[in-house]
Amino acid sequence: MIGGIDGHGSHVLNYDQVFDQAIERLHDEGRYRVFIDILRNKGAFPNARCFAGHNGPKPITVWCSNDYLAMGQHPKVVAAMEEALHDVGAGSGGTRNIGGNTHYHIQLEQELADLHGKERALLFTSGYVSNDATLSTLGKLLPGCVIFSDELNHASMIAGIRNSGCEKKVFRHNDLAHLEELLAETDPALPRLIAFESVYSMDGDVAPIHAICDLADKYNALTYIDEVHAVGMYGARGGGISERDDAAHRITIIEGTLGKAFGVMGGYIAADAKIVDCIRSYAPGFIFTTSLSPVLVAGVLAAVRHLKASSVEREGQQASAALLKALFAEAGLPVMPSTTHIVPLMVGDPVRAKAISDILLAEYGVYVQPINYPTVPRGTERLRFTPGPAHTEAMMRELTSALVEIWDRMELEIRRAA
């Protein structure tokens, strides 16, 4: 036990009890998170092996990976990583300033800047770090800055804004009138930054980028867009929603990830050279951390170059998402409206969401994680499916039948066709 009674007979804080109570609260609310023990099968995604709850590996199908296009399995990516490993070894050896600035890093930053039509790009170890480090540093570089944040922004953006020390004004999700109201009431002499996402990954909806940029122009505000769920996925070359909507040139800073559609790991920003230089020179989250392994960077480099030239993966993914939405709707399952590749299925209760996930895995070999608070608001717990180009129609029909059986078993509502 940590804590108890001191030498004077006085009670002292029982640390064990504090930690026990913290975990117990999660169990009581039905949102204690269990990490699955799996290995993916190289070259055979979405097939994987699960090691939890039984003897030896059990074949499963993965339905919730953010490796949306299976680029983490692509032969070009795997080959590039193997080549880099045998060429330069495993790690980067240090921060970018001390031994960790490899030719791979420089090449990838050039490719990412080109992808978004920006002068420069800057790599980080993850999308979370790129948001946190960039937003917090921007706020410190702009005295008196007011940051306008969409209410559904990712936790990493919220953390960066909080760490900036700036005044934050939260506008209702995609609500342009509310955003303008907040902009109009702010002192025009103060720096202003509008931070938002392109694809909101839990609901699958999209920001009105041009309309937000119109307001930014009107009120002299900078714009910061998180494209982590869109880069590689949209646009002729995978530049995201901002490329698809011909809006990238209007955005001050574009942030993205290398761990989702590009299939490997890392995060980045792309912007004018002077802004990137400021973040590079001032952001502790960039300066004081070991750079990405050149092996990882080589893999991303291959993925970015491939997806700039190939739309086959994007088209296959969109077709899969459209089919799964249609099958869910046809079966009467509560699929949420989504205009993107995200297919959310509403449950509305954390305990039931976890139970459905457990049944799918144990009885049907289907892996999909429940999404609970704080990722989504309480009462909107859901299952979030991300069908990819390698998910077949047969897999989708089997999944739909499994969900209908479980919905019936748990006496949940199904909207039966008349």
Side-chain angles (χ1 to χ4, degrees), residues 26 29 31-33 151-155 158 202 350 370-378 380-382:
L26 297 178
E29 295 172 16
R31 60 187 185 92
Y32 179 77
R33 299 182 183 213
E151 68 176 340
L152 294 188
N153 277 345
H154 190 265
I158 295 169
M202 292 303 131
I371 306 296
N372 296 327
Y373 177 85
T375 306
V376 295
R378 297 179 195 274
T380 68
E381 292 82 6
R382 68 201 65 177

mmCIF file with all atom_site columns, all heavy atoms in Angstrom, residues 26 29 31-33 151-155 158 202 350 370-378 380-382:
data_model
loop_
_atom_site.group_PDB
_atom_site.id
_atom_site.type_symbol
_atom_site.label_atom_id
_atom_site.label_alt_id
_atom_site.label_comp_id
_atom_site.label_asym_id
_atom_site.label_entity_id
_atom_site.label_seq_id
_atom_site.pdbx_PDB_ins_code
_atom_site.Cartn_x
_atom_site.Cartn_y
_atom_site.Cartn_z
_atom_site.occupancy
_atom_site.B_iso_or_equiv
_atom_site.pdbx_formal_charge
_atom_site.auth_seq_id
_atom_site.auth_comp_id
_atom_site.auth_asym_id
_atom_site.auth_atom_id
_atom_site.pdbx_PDB_model_num
ATOM 1   N N   . LEU A 1 26  ? -14.142 4.313  -14.059 1.00 0.00 ? 26  LEU A N   1
ATOM 2   C CA  . LEU A 1 26  ? -14.244 3.930  -15.473 1.00 0.00 ? 26  LEU A CA  1
ATOM 3   C C   . LEU A 1 26  ? -15.027 2.636  -15.631 1.00 0.00 ? 26  LEU A C   1
ATOM 4   O O   . LEU A 1 26  ? -15.845 2.492  -16.545 1.00 0.00 ? 26  LEU A O   1
ATOM 5   C CB  . LEU A 1 26  ? -12.848 3.787  -16.084 1.00 0.00 ? 26  LEU A CB  1
ATOM 6   C CG  . LEU A 1 26  ? -11.987 5.045  -16.122 1.00 0.00 ? 26  LEU A CG  1
ATOM 7   C CD1 . LEU A 1 26  ? -10.616 4.730  -16.713 1.00 0.00 ? 26  LEU A CD1 1
ATOM 8   C CD2 . LEU A 1 26  ? -12.669 6.137  -16.940 1.00 0.00 ? 26  LEU A CD2 1
ATOM 9   N N   . GLU A 1 29  ? -18.754 3.267  -15.111 1.00 0.00 ? 29  GLU A N   1
ATOM 10  C CA  . GLU A 1 29  ? -19.383 3.968  -16.234 1.00 0.00 ? 29  GLU A CA  1
ATOM 11  C C   . GLU A 1 29  ? -19.378 3.138  -17.516 1.00 0.00 ? 29  GLU A C   1
ATOM 12  O O   . GLU A 1 29  ? -19.913 3.562  -18.541 1.00 0.00 ? 29  GLU A O   1
ATOM 13  C CB  . GLU A 1 29  ? -18.666 5.300  -16.484 1.00 0.00 ? 29  GLU A CB  1
ATOM 14  C CG  . GLU A 1 29  ? -18.806 6.300  -15.333 1.00 0.00 ? 29  GLU A CG  1
ATOM 15  C CD  . GLU A 1 29  ? -17.929 7.522  -15.522 1.00 0.00 ? 29  GLU A CD  1
ATOM 16  O OE1 . GLU A 1 29  ? -17.453 7.738  -16.667 1.00 0.00 ? 29  GLU A OE1 1
ATOM 17  O OE2 . GLU A 1 29  ? -17.715 8.264  -14.550 1.00 0.00 ? 29  GLU A OE2 1
ATOM 18  N N   . ARG A 1 31  ? -16.817 2.407  -19.361 1.00 0.00 ? 31  ARG A N   1
ATOM 19  C CA  . ARG A 1 31  ? -15.920 2.915  -20.407 1.00 0.00 ? 31  ARG A CA  1
ATOM 20  C C   . ARG A 1 31  ? -14.439 2.637  -20.123 1.00 0.00 ? 31  ARG A C   1
ATOM 21  O O   . ARG A 1 31  ? -13.552 3.322  -20.639 1.00 0.00 ? 31  ARG A O   1
ATOM 22  C CB  . ARG A 1 31  ? -16.158 4.402  -20.644 1.00 0.00 ? 31  ARG A CB  1
ATOM 23  C CG  . ARG A 1 31  ? -15.940 5.312  -19.460 1.00 0.00 ? 31  ARG A CG  1
ATOM 24  C CD  . ARG A 1 31  ? -16.369 6.747  -19.770 1.00 0.00 ? 31  ARG A CD  1
ATOM 25  N NE  . ARG A 1 31  ? -16.065 7.675  -18.688 1.00 0.00 ? 31  ARG A NE  1
ATOM 26  C CZ  . ARG A 1 31  ? -14.941 8.379  -18.588 1.00 0.00 ? 31  ARG A CZ  1
ATOM 27  N NH1 . ARG A 1 31  ? -14.013 8.260  -19.514 1.00 0.00 ? 31  ARG A NH1 1
ATOM 28  N NH2 . ARG A 1 31  ? -14.743 9.204  -17.577 1.00 0.00 ? 31  ARG A NH2 1
ATOM 29  N N   . TYR A 1 32  ? -14.181 1.613  -19.311 1.00 0.00 ? 32  TYR A N   1
ATOM 30  C CA  . TYR A 1 32  ? -12.801 1.175  -19.122 1.00 0.00 ? 32  TYR A CA  1
ATOM 31  C C   . TYR A 1 32  ? -12.312 0.562  -20.428 1.00 0.00 ? 32  TYR A C   1
ATOM 32  O O   . TYR A 1 32  ? -12.983 -0.279 -21.026 1.00 0.00 ? 32  TYR A O   1
ATOM 33  C CB  . TYR A 1 32  ? -12.720 0.146  -17.995 1.00 0.00 ? 32  TYR A CB  1
ATOM 34  C CG  . TYR A 1 32  ? -11.326 -0.369 -17.747 1.00 0.00 ? 32  TYR A CG  1
ATOM 35  C CD1 . TYR A 1 32  ? -10.392 0.395  -17.051 1.00 0.00 ? 32  TYR A CD1 1
ATOM 36  C CD2 . TYR A 1 32  ? -10.937 -1.619 -18.224 1.00 0.00 ? 32  TYR A CD2 1
ATOM 37  C CE1 . TYR A 1 32  ? -9.105  -0.067 -16.837 1.00 0.00 ? 32  TYR A CE1 1
ATOM 38  C CE2 . TYR A 1 32  ? -9.657  -2.101 -18.007 1.00 0.00 ? 32  TYR A CE2 1
ATOM 39  C CZ  . TYR A 1 32  ? -8.742  -1.316 -17.316 1.00 0.00 ? 32  TYR A CZ  1
ATOM 40  O OH  . TYR A 1 32  ? -7.469  -1.780 -17.115 1.00 0.00 ? 32  TYR A OH  1
ATOM 41  N N   . ARG A 1 33  ? -11.155 0.999  -20.897 1.00 0.00 ? 33  ARG A N   1
ATOM 42  C CA  . ARG A 1 33  ? -10.687 0.593  -22.225 1.00 0.00 ? 33  ARG A CA  1
ATOM 43  C C   . ARG A 1 33  ? -9.797  -0.644 -22.144 1.00 0.00 ? 33  ARG A C   1
ATOM 44  O O   . ARG A 1 33  ? -8.877  -0.699 -21.327 1.00 0.00 ? 33  ARG A O   1
ATOM 45  C CB  . ARG A 1 33  ? -9.933  1.748  -22.889 1.00 0.00 ? 33  ARG A CB  1
ATOM 46  C CG  . ARG A 1 33  ? -10.842 2.962  -23.063 1.00 0.00 ? 33  ARG A CG  1
ATOM 47  C CD  . ARG A 1 33  ? -10.168 4.115  -23.747 1.00 0.00 ? 33  ARG A CD  1
ATOM 48  N NE  . ARG A 1 33  ? -11.098 5.251  -23.811 1.00 0.00 ? 33  ARG A NE  1
ATOM 49  C CZ  . ARG A 1 33  ? -11.131 6.128  -24.789 1.00 0.00 ? 33  ARG A CZ  1
ATOM 50  N NH1 . ARG A 1 33  ? -10.303 6.027  -25.801 1.00 0.00 ? 33  ARG A NH1 1
ATOM 51  N NH2 . ARG A 1 33  ? -12.002 7.120  -24.764 1.00 0.00 ? 33  ARG A NH2 1
ATOM 52  N N   . GLU A 1 151 ? -16.049 23.134 -31.707 1.00 0.00 ? 151 GLU A N   1
ATOM 53  C CA  . GLU A 1 151 ? -16.313 22.377 -30.482 1.00 0.00 ? 151 GLU A CA  1
ATOM 54  C C   . GLU A 1 151 ? -15.979 20.892 -30.608 1.00 0.00 ? 151 GLU A C   1
ATOM 55  O O   . GLU A 1 151 ? -15.808 20.209 -29.592 1.00 0.00 ? 151 GLU A O   1
ATOM 56  C CB  . GLU A 1 151 ? -17.770 22.549 -30.054 1.00 0.00 ? 151 GLU A CB  1
ATOM 57  C CG  . GLU A 1 151 ? -18.787 21.910 -30.983 1.00 0.00 ? 151 GLU A CG  1
ATOM 58  C CD  . GLU A 1 151 ? -20.216 22.038 -30.454 1.00 0.00 ? 151 GLU A CD  1
ATOM 59  O OE1 . GLU A 1 151 ? -20.377 22.264 -29.242 1.00 0.00 ? 151 GLU A OE1 1
ATOM 60  O OE2 . GLU A 1 151 ? -21.151 21.923 -31.264 1.00 0.00 ? 151 GLU A OE2 1
ATOM 61  N N   . LEU A 1 152 ? -15.863 20.375 -31.824 1.00 0.00 ? 152 LEU A N   1
ATOM 62  C CA  . LEU A 1 152 ? -15.546 18.959 -32.000 1.00 0.00 ? 152 LEU A CA  1
ATOM 63  C C   . LEU A 1 152 ? -14.085 18.713 -32.359 1.00 0.00 ? 152 LEU A C   1
ATOM 64  O O   . LEU A 1 152 ? -13.717 17.611 -32.775 1.00 0.00 ? 152 LEU A O   1
ATOM 65  C CB  . LEU A 1 152 ? -16.454 18.329 -33.076 1.00 0.00 ? 152 LEU A CB  1
ATOM 66  C CG  . LEU A 1 152 ? -17.943 18.248 -32.731 1.00 0.00 ? 152 LEU A CG  1
ATOM 67  C CD1 . LEU A 1 152 ? -18.678 17.433 -33.785 1.00 0.00 ? 152 LEU A CD1 1
ATOM 68  C CD2 . LEU A 1 152 ? -18.177 17.667 -31.339 1.00 0.00 ? 152 LEU A CD2 1
ATOM 69  N N   . ASN A 1 153 ? -13.240 19.731 -32.185 1.00 0.00 ? 153 ASN A N   1
ATOM 70  C CA  . ASN A 1 153 ? -11.819 19.553 -32.483 1.00 0.00 ? 153 ASN A CA  1
ATOM 71  C C   . ASN A 1 153 ? -11.209 18.442 -31.635 1.00 0.00 ? 153 ASN A C   1
ATOM 72  O O   . ASN A 1 153 ? -11.616 18.195 -30.491 1.00 0.00 ? 153 ASN A O   1
ATOM 73  C CB  . ASN A 1 153 ? -11.057 20.859 -32.244 1.00 0.00 ? 153 ASN A CB  1
ATOM 74  C CG  . ASN A 1 153 ? -11.138 21.802 -33.431 1.00 0.00 ? 153 ASN A CG  1
ATOM 75  O OD1 . ASN A 1 153 ? -11.511 21.395 -34.535 1.00 0.00 ? 153 ASN A OD1 1
ATOM 76  N ND2 . ASN A 1 153 ? -10.796 23.054 -33.217 1.00 0.00 ? 153 ASN A ND2 1
ATOM 77  N N   . HIS A 1 154 ? -10.184 17.812 -32.194 1.00 0.00 ? 154 HIS A N   1
ATOM 78  C CA  . HIS A 1 154 ? -9.506  16.688 -31.559 1.00 0.00 ? 154 HIS A CA  1
ATOM 79  C C   . HIS A 1 154 ? -8.829  17.117 -30.255 1.00 0.00 ? 154 HIS A C   1
ATOM 80  O O   . HIS A 1 154 ? -8.446  18.268 -30.076 1.00 0.00 ? 154 HIS A O   1
ATOM 81  C CB  . HIS A 1 154 ? -8.466  16.106 -32.524 1.00 0.00 ? 154 HIS A CB  1
ATOM 82  C CG  . HIS A 1 154 ? -7.876  14.824 -32.065 1.00 0.00 ? 154 HIS A CG  1
ATOM 83  N ND1 . HIS A 1 154 ? -6.687  14.756 -31.371 1.00 0.00 ? 154 HIS A ND1 1
ATOM 84  C CD2 . HIS A 1 154 ? -8.301  13.537 -32.196 1.00 0.00 ? 154 HIS A CD2 1
ATOM 85  C CE1 . HIS A 1 154 ? -6.400  13.495 -31.106 1.00 0.00 ? 154 HIS A CE1 1
ATOM 86  N NE2 . HIS A 1 154 ? -7.365  12.738 -31.590 1.00 0.00 ? 154 HIS A NE2 1
ATOM 87  N N   . ALA A 1 155 ? -8.647  16.146 -29.354 1.00 0.00 ? 155 ALA A N   1
ATOM 88  C CA  . ALA A 1 155 ? -8.014  16.412 -28.054 1.00 0.00 ? 155 ALA A CA  1
ATOM 89  C C   . ALA A 1 155 ? -6.632  17.037 -28.195 1.00 0.00 ? 155 ALA A C   1
ATOM 90  O O   . ALA A 1 155 ? -6.224  17.858 -27.362 1.00 0.00 ? 155 ALA A O   1
ATOM 91  C CB  . ALA A 1 155 ? -7.919  15.108 -27.258 1.00 0.00 ? 155 ALA A CB  1
ATOM 92  N N   . ILE A 1 158 ? -7.098  20.719 -28.780 1.00 0.00 ? 158 ILE A N   1
ATOM 93  C CA  . ILE A 1 158 ? -7.520  21.340 -27.525 1.00 0.00 ? 158 ILE A CA  1
ATOM 94  C C   . ILE A 1 158 ? -6.325  21.501 -26.591 1.00 0.00 ? 158 ILE A C   1
ATOM 95  O O   . ILE A 1 158 ? -6.147  22.541 -25.950 1.00 0.00 ? 158 ILE A O   1
ATOM 96  C CB  . ILE A 1 158 ? -8.632  20.504 -26.870 1.00 0.00 ? 158 ILE A CB  1
ATOM 97  C CG1 . ILE A 1 158 ? -9.885  20.518 -27.756 1.00 0.00 ? 158 ILE A CG1 1
ATOM 98  C CG2 . ILE A 1 158 ? -8.959  21.010 -25.471 1.00 0.00 ? 158 ILE A CG2 1
ATOM 99  C CD1 . ILE A 1 158 ? -10.946 19.513 -27.340 1.00 0.00 ? 158 ILE A CD1 1
ATOM 100 N N   . MET A 1 202 ? -15.285 11.092 -35.860 1.00 0.00 ? 202 MET A N   1
ATOM 101 C CA  . MET A 1 202 ? -16.285 10.309 -35.130 1.00 0.00 ? 202 MET A CA  1
ATOM 102 C C   . MET A 1 202 ? -17.676 10.410 -35.752 1.00 0.00 ? 202 MET A C   1
ATOM 103 O O   . MET A 1 202 ? -18.501 9.516  -35.615 1.00 0.00 ? 202 MET A O   1
ATOM 104 C CB  . MET A 1 202 ? -16.326 10.745 -33.666 1.00 0.00 ? 202 MET A CB  1
ATOM 105 C CG  . MET A 1 202 ? -15.071 10.382 -32.901 1.00 0.00 ? 202 MET A CG  1
ATOM 106 S SD  . MET A 1 202 ? -14.726 8.597  -32.946 1.00 0.00 ? 202 MET A SD  1
ATOM 107 C CE  . MET A 1 202 ? -13.009 8.588  -33.426 1.00 0.00 ? 202 MET A CE  1
ATOM 108 N N   . PRO A 1 350 ? -22.493 3.063  -23.227 1.00 0.00 ? 350 PRO A N   1
ATOM 109 C CA  . PRO A 1 350 ? -21.131 2.512  -23.221 1.00 0.00 ? 350 PRO A CA  1
ATOM 110 C C   . PRO A 1 350 ? -21.080 1.022  -22.913 1.00 0.00 ? 350 PRO A C   1
ATOM 111 O O   . PRO A 1 350 ? -20.261 0.294  -23.482 1.00 0.00 ? 350 PRO A O   1
ATOM 112 C CB  . PRO A 1 350 ? -20.432 3.329  -22.124 1.00 0.00 ? 350 PRO A CB  1
ATOM 113 C CG  . PRO A 1 350 ? -21.524 3.849  -21.248 1.00 0.00 ? 350 PRO A CG  1
ATOM 114 C CD  . PRO A 1 350 ? -22.693 4.070  -22.158 1.00 0.00 ? 350 PRO A CD  1
ATOM 115 N N   . PRO A 1 370 ? -15.363 -0.190 -29.419 1.00 0.00 ? 370 PRO A N   1
ATOM 116 C CA  . PRO A 1 370 ? -16.398 0.777  -29.051 1.00 0.00 ? 370 PRO A CA  1
ATOM 117 C C   . PRO A 1 370 ? -15.772 2.155  -28.852 1.00 0.00 ? 370 PRO A C   1
ATOM 118 O O   . PRO A 1 370 ? -14.643 2.259  -28.367 1.00 0.00 ? 370 PRO A O   1
ATOM 119 C CB  . PRO A 1 370 ? -16.935 0.221  -27.729 1.00 0.00 ? 370 PRO A CB  1
ATOM 120 C CG  . PRO A 1 370 ? -15.803 -0.563 -27.148 1.00 0.00 ? 370 PRO A CG  1
ATOM 121 C CD  . PRO A 1 370 ? -15.054 -1.124 -28.325 1.00 0.00 ? 370 PRO A CD  1
ATOM 122 N N   . ILE A 1 371 ? -16.490 3.189  -29.226 1.00 0.00 ? 371 ILE A N   1
ATOM 123 C CA  . ILE A 1 371 ? -16.017 4.570  -29.050 1.00 0.00 ? 371 ILE A CA  1
ATOM 124 C C   . ILE A 1 371 ? -16.854 5.204  -27.945 1.00 0.00 ? 371 ILE A C   1
ATOM 125 O O   . ILE A 1 371 ? -18.068 5.376  -28.093 1.00 0.00 ? 371 ILE A O   1
ATOM 126 C CB  . ILE A 1 371 ? -16.142 5.382  -30.346 1.00 0.00 ? 371 ILE A CB  1
ATOM 127 C CG1 . ILE A 1 371 ? -15.436 4.654  -31.510 1.00 0.00 ? 371 ILE A CG1 1
ATOM 128 C CG2 . ILE A 1 371 ? -15.574 6.781  -30.152 1.00 0.00 ? 371 ILE A CG2 1
ATOM 129 C CD1 . ILE A 1 371 ? -13.948 4.486  -31.352 1.00 0.00 ? 371 ILE A CD1 1
ATOM 130 N N   . ASN A 1 372 ? -16.218 5.539  -26.839 1.00 0.00 ? 372 ASN A N   1
ATOM 131 C CA  . ASN A 1 372 ? -16.912 6.050  -25.668 1.00 0.00 ? 372 ASN A CA  1
ATOM 132 C C   . ASN A 1 372 ? -16.419 7.451  -25.296 1.00 0.00 ? 372 ASN A C   1
ATOM 133 O O   . ASN A 1 372 ? -15.472 7.969  -25.889 1.00 0.00 ? 372 ASN A O   1
ATOM 134 C CB  . ASN A 1 372 ? -16.700 5.105  -24.474 1.00 0.00 ? 372 ASN A CB  1
ATOM 135 C CG  . ASN A 1 372 ? -17.308 3.733  -24.697 1.00 0.00 ? 372 ASN A CG  1
ATOM 136 O OD1 . ASN A 1 372 ? -18.332 3.606  -25.365 1.00 0.00 ? 372 ASN A OD1 1
ATOM 137 N ND2 . ASN A 1 372 ? -16.690 2.706  -24.149 1.00 0.00 ? 372 ASN A ND2 1
ATOM 138 N N   . TYR A 1 373 ? -17.046 8.041  -24.295 1.00 0.00 ? 373 TYR A N   1
ATOM 139 C CA  . TYR A 1 373 ? -16.595 9.302  -23.722 1.00 0.00 ? 373 TYR A CA  1
ATOM 140 C C   . TYR A 1 373 ? -15.177 9.110  -23.169 1.00 0.00 ? 373 TYR A C   1
ATOM 141 O O   . TYR A 1 373 ? -14.886 8.055  -22.613 1.00 0.00 ? 373 TYR A O   1
ATOM 142 C CB  . TYR A 1 373 ? -17.554 9.720  -22.600 1.00 0.00 ? 373 TYR A CB  1
ATOM 143 C CG  . TYR A 1 373 ? -17.157 10.967 -21.870 1.00 0.00 ? 373 TYR A CG  1
ATOM 144 C CD1 . TYR A 1 373 ? -17.505 12.218 -22.374 1.00 0.00 ? 373 TYR A CD1 1
ATOM 145 C CD2 . TYR A 1 373 ? -16.427 10.903 -20.696 1.00 0.00 ? 373 TYR A CD2 1
ATOM 146 C CE1 . TYR A 1 373 ? -17.117 13.375 -21.710 1.00 0.00 ? 373 TYR A CE1 1
ATOM 147 C CE2 . TYR A 1 373 ? -16.039 12.054 -20.034 1.00 0.00 ? 373 TYR A CE2 1
ATOM 148 C CZ  . TYR A 1 373 ? -16.387 13.282 -20.543 1.00 0.00 ? 373 TYR A CZ  1
ATOM 149 O OH  . TYR A 1 373 ? -16.006 14.423 -19.889 1.00 0.00 ? 373 TYR A OH  1
ATOM 150 N N   . PRO A 1 374 ? -14.235 10.055 -23.298 1.00 0.00 ? 374 PRO A N   1
ATOM 151 C CA  . PRO A 1 374 ? -14.423 11.422 -23.786 1.00 0.00 ? 374 PRO A CA  1
ATOM 152 C C   . PRO A 1 374 ? -14.214 11.607 -25.292 1.00 0.00 ? 374 PRO A C   1
ATOM 153 O O   . PRO A 1 374 ? -14.219 12.732 -25.772 1.00 0.00 ? 374 PRO A O   1
ATOM 154 C CB  . PRO A 1 374 ? -13.352 12.185 -23.008 1.00 0.00 ? 374 PRO A CB  1
ATOM 155 C CG  . PRO A 1 374 ? -12.235 11.204 -22.875 1.00 0.00 ? 374 PRO A CG  1
ATOM 156 C CD  . PRO A 1 374 ? -12.885 9.855  -22.709 1.00 0.00 ? 374 PRO A CD  1
ATOM 157 N N   . THR A 1 375 ? -14.006 10.516 -26.028 1.00 0.00 ? 375 THR A N   1
ATOM 158 C CA  . THR A 1 375 ? -13.827 10.662 -27.471 1.00 0.00 ? 375 THR A CA  1
ATOM 159 C C   . THR A 1 375 ? -15.097 11.203 -28.118 1.00 0.00 ? 375 THR A C   1
ATOM 160 O O   . THR A 1 375 ? -15.034 12.013 -29.049 1.00 0.00 ? 375 THR A O   1
ATOM 161 C CB  . THR A 1 375 ? -13.437 9.311  -28.099 1.00 0.00 ? 375 THR A CB  1
ATOM 162 O OG1 . THR A 1 375 ? -12.294 8.790  -27.409 1.00 0.00 ? 375 THR A OG1 1
ATOM 163 C CG2 . THR A 1 375 ? -13.105 9.469  -29.571 1.00 0.00 ? 375 THR A CG2 1
ATOM 164 N N   . VAL A 1 376 ? -16.243 10.738 -27.634 1.00 0.00 ? 376 VAL A N   1
ATOM 165 C CA  . VAL A 1 376 ? -17.536 11.263 -28.087 1.00 0.00 ? 376 VAL A CA  1
ATOM 166 C C   . VAL A 1 376 ? -18.350 11.643 -26.855 1.00 0.00 ? 376 VAL A C   1
ATOM 167 O O   . VAL A 1 376 ? -18.083 11.151 -25.749 1.00 0.00 ? 376 VAL A O   1
ATOM 168 C CB  . VAL A 1 376 ? -18.311 10.217 -28.934 1.00 0.00 ? 376 VAL A CB  1
ATOM 169 C CG1 . VAL A 1 376 ? -17.565 9.917  -30.224 1.00 0.00 ? 376 VAL A CG1 1
ATOM 170 C CG2 . VAL A 1 376 ? -18.548 8.933  -28.132 1.00 0.00 ? 376 VAL A CG2 1
ATOM 171 N N   . PRO A 1 377 ? -19.363 12.508 -26.993 1.00 0.00 ? 377 PRO A N   1
ATOM 172 C CA  . PRO A 1 377 ? -20.172 12.894 -25.829 1.00 0.00 ? 377 PRO A CA  1
ATOM 173 C C   . PRO A 1 377 ? -20.898 11.699 -25.223 1.00 0.00 ? 377 PRO A C   1
ATOM 174 O O   . PRO A 1 377 ? -21.236 10.731 -25.912 1.00 0.00 ? 377 PRO A O   1
ATOM 175 C CB  . PRO A 1 377 ? -21.175 13.901 -26.419 1.00 0.00 ? 377 PRO A CB  1
ATOM 176 C CG  . PRO A 1 377 ? -20.530 14.410 -27.663 1.00 0.00 ? 377 PRO A CG  1
ATOM 177 C CD  . PRO A 1 377 ? -19.734 13.259 -28.206 1.00 0.00 ? 377 PRO A CD  1
ATOM 178 N N   . ARG A 1 378 ? -21.134 11.754 -23.921 1.00 0.00 ? 378 ARG A N   1
ATOM 179 C CA  . ARG A 1 378 ? -21.909 10.709 -23.255 1.00 0.00 ? 378 ARG A CA  1
ATOM 180 C C   . ARG A 1 378 ? -23.281 10.582 -23.931 1.00 0.00 ? 378 ARG A C   1
ATOM 181 O O   . ARG A 1 378 ? -23.891 11.572 -24.306 1.00 0.00 ? 378 ARG A O   1
ATOM 182 C CB  . ARG A 1 378 ? -22.100 11.054 -21.779 1.00 0.00 ? 378 ARG A CB  1
ATOM 183 C CG  . ARG A 1 378 ? -20.807 11.131 -20.979 1.00 0.00 ? 378 ARG A CG  1
ATOM 184 C CD  . ARG A 1 378 ? -21.103 11.492 -19.530 1.00 0.00 ? 378 ARG A CD  1
ATOM 185 N NE  . ARG A 1 378 ? -19.919 11.920 -18.814 1.00 0.00 ? 378 ARG A NE  1
ATOM 186 C CZ  . ARG A 1 378 ? -19.056 11.113 -18.204 1.00 0.00 ? 378 ARG A CZ  1
ATOM 187 N NH1 . ARG A 1 378 ? -19.259 9.807  -18.244 1.00 0.00 ? 378 ARG A NH1 1
ATOM 188 N NH2 . ARG A 1 378 ? -18.003 11.596 -17.570 1.00 0.00 ? 378 ARG A NH2 1
ATOM 189 N N   . THR A 1 380 ? -23.739 9.152  -26.763 1.00 0.00 ? 380 THR A N   1
ATOM 190 C CA  . THR A 1 380 ? -23.571 8.970  -28.217 1.00 0.00 ? 380 THR A CA  1
ATOM 191 C C   . THR A 1 380 ? -22.523 7.892  -28.513 1.00 0.00 ? 380 THR A C   1
ATOM 192 O O   . THR A 1 380 ? -21.884 7.908  -29.563 1.00 0.00 ? 380 THR A O   1
ATOM 193 C CB  . THR A 1 380 ? -23.166 10.287 -28.909 1.00 0.00 ? 380 THR A CB  1
ATOM 194 O OG1 . THR A 1 380 ? -21.835 10.654 -28.506 1.00 0.00 ? 380 THR A OG1 1
ATOM 195 C CG2 . THR A 1 380 ? -24.137 11.404 -28.569 1.00 0.00 ? 380 THR A CG2 1
ATOM 196 N N   . GLU A 1 381 ? -22.340 6.976  -27.569 1.00 0.00 ? 381 GLU A N   1
ATOM 197 C CA  . GLU A 1 381 ? -21.370 5.903  -27.766 1.00 0.00 ? 381 GLU A CA  1
ATOM 198 C C   . GLU A 1 381 ? -21.724 5.125  -29.029 1.00 0.00 ? 381 GLU A C   1
ATOM 199 O O   . GLU A 1 381 ? -22.892 4.917  -29.326 1.00 0.00 ? 381 GLU A O   1
ATOM 200 C CB  . GLU A 1 381 ? -21.358 4.980  -26.541 1.00 0.00 ? 381 GLU A CB  1
ATOM 201 C CG  . GLU A 1 381 ? -20.814 5.624  -25.285 1.00 0.00 ? 381 GLU A CG  1
ATOM 202 C CD  . GLU A 1 381 ? -21.824 6.471  -24.525 1.00 0.00 ? 381 GLU A CD  1
ATOM 203 O OE1 . GLU A 1 381 ? -23.013 6.467  -24.927 1.00 0.00 ? 381 GLU A OE1 1
ATOM 204 O OE2 . GLU A 1 381 ? -21.441 7.132  -23.532 1.00 0.00 ? 381 GLU A OE2 1
ATOM 205 N N   . ARG A 1 382 ? -20.692 4.675  -29.715 1.00 0.00 ? 382 ARG A N   1
ATOM 206 C CA  . ARG A 1 382 ? -20.925 4.076  -31.032 1.00 0.00 ? 382 ARG A CA  1
ATOM 207 C C   . ARG A 1 382 ? -19.852 3.063  -31.384 1.00 0.00 ? 382 ARG A C   1
ATOM 208 O O   . ARG A 1 382 ? -18.801 2.959  -30.727 1.00 0.00 ? 382 ARG A O   1
ATOM 209 C CB  . ARG A 1 382 ? -20.937 5.177  -32.093 1.00 0.00 ? 382 ARG A CB  1
ATOM 210 C CG  . ARG A 1 382 ? -19.574 5.838  -32.300 1.00 0.00 ? 382 ARG A CG  1
ATOM 211 C CD  . ARG A 1 382 ? -19.681 7.203  -32.936 1.00 0.00 ? 382 ARG A CD  1
ATOM 212 N NE  . ARG A 1 382 ? -20.377 8.159  -32.079 1.00 0.00 ? 382 ARG A NE  1
ATOM 213 C CZ  . ARG A 1 382 ? -20.537 9.444  -32.394 1.00 0.00 ? 382 ARG A CZ  1
ATOM 214 N NH1 . ARG A 1 382 ? -20.064 9.920  -33.528 1.00 0.00 ? 382 ARG A NH1 1
ATOM 215 N NH2 . ARG A 1 382 ? -21.173 10.269 -31.578 1.00 0.00 ? 382 ARG A NH2 1
#
